[in-house]
Amino acid sequence: MADFVHELDIVARTEIVRDLISHHGDKWWTTNAIINGREGGTCEFRFPSAGFYAVVRVITNKPDLIEWRCVDSTLSPASLEASGGTDAREWVDTTIRFVLTALGPASARVRLEHLGLGASAEFYSTQNNVWAFYLESLKGLAETGQGSPFQGGAPGRGE
């Protein structure tokens, strides 16, 4: 298994960034999200027209670390091919970790680590960094109030 890492600096307090990651994935990742950001909670992120979904359990939600364990996920054949993956369920049992570091009173660094990922880790690193797109959406939301989430419709619609 491979790991994927991406870092991004955001001009916002770490508490704001943490809250957006933990509780507002519908404003930066996909509009089709059901979120319980408390430790032990479950979040569902769906991208119906892209043929992808992920269900994660919140393992850690602390001021400097948010950690999710993917408990269910699948990619449609088209999405699997587009991501460079070889296993439609490769996200299952992976860990998605957001490490937050204050760079000053109003600036934070987000280090995303997607641990245990399969072939997609290499693809994200060299060809299509979809995580970078959504972290830029998070940055926009934190800095301007406007994210660019996938328009996945209302929660609970489709897979």
Side-chain angles (χ1 to χ4, degrees):
M1 290 297 178
D3 298 337
F4 174 79
V5 176
H6 186 84
E7 288 187 343
L8 178 73
D9 293 347
I10 298 176
V11 180
R13 293 188 336 265
T14 55
E15 314 78 70
I16 291 171
V17 175
R18 177 181 165 262
D19 181 64
L20 293 175
I21 294 169
S22 298
H23 302 290
H24 300 285
D26 58 330
K27 292 183 170 70
W28 64 270
W29 198 10
T30 177
T31 58
N32 193 322
I34 300 171
I35 302 164
N36 177 348
R38 294 186 311 252
E39 288 184 3
T42 301
C43 305
E44 298 179 26
F45 301 100
R46 297 183 181 277
F47 301 72
S49 63
F52 171 71
Y53 75 89
V55 179
V56 299
R57 178 152 333 279
V58 180
I59 304 303
T60 306
N61 188 346
K62 299 194 181 315
D64 62 345
L65 177 66
I66 300 158
E67 192 170 59
W68 298 335
R69 184 76 175 166
C70 187
V71 296
D72 192 20
S73 178
T74 195
L75 287 152
S76 69
S79 291
L80 183 64
E81 182 178 339
S83 74
T86 57
D87 177 1
R89 296 182 47 81
E90 74 177 356
W91 278 44
V92 175
D93 292 329
T94 64
T95 299
I96 302 165
R97 182 180 295 152
F98 300 89
V99 181
L100 303 172
T101 305
L103 301 177
S107 186
R109 175 165 293 144
V110 176
R111 177 181 171 93
L112 169 88
E113 301 170 355
H114 196 155
L115 309 174
L117 197 56
S120 293
E122 174 71 20
F123 188 82
Y124 295 164
S125 295
T126 61
Q127 296 183 42
N128 184 4
N129 188 342
V130 295
W131 269 124
F133 176 83
Y134 290 111
L135 289 178
E136 284 291 336
S137 174
L138 172 67
K139 177 181 173 86
L141 182 60
E143 292 180 355
T144 70
Q146 184 65 45
S148 302
F150 180 87
Q151 297 301 305
R157 278 204 217 147
E159 309 221 340

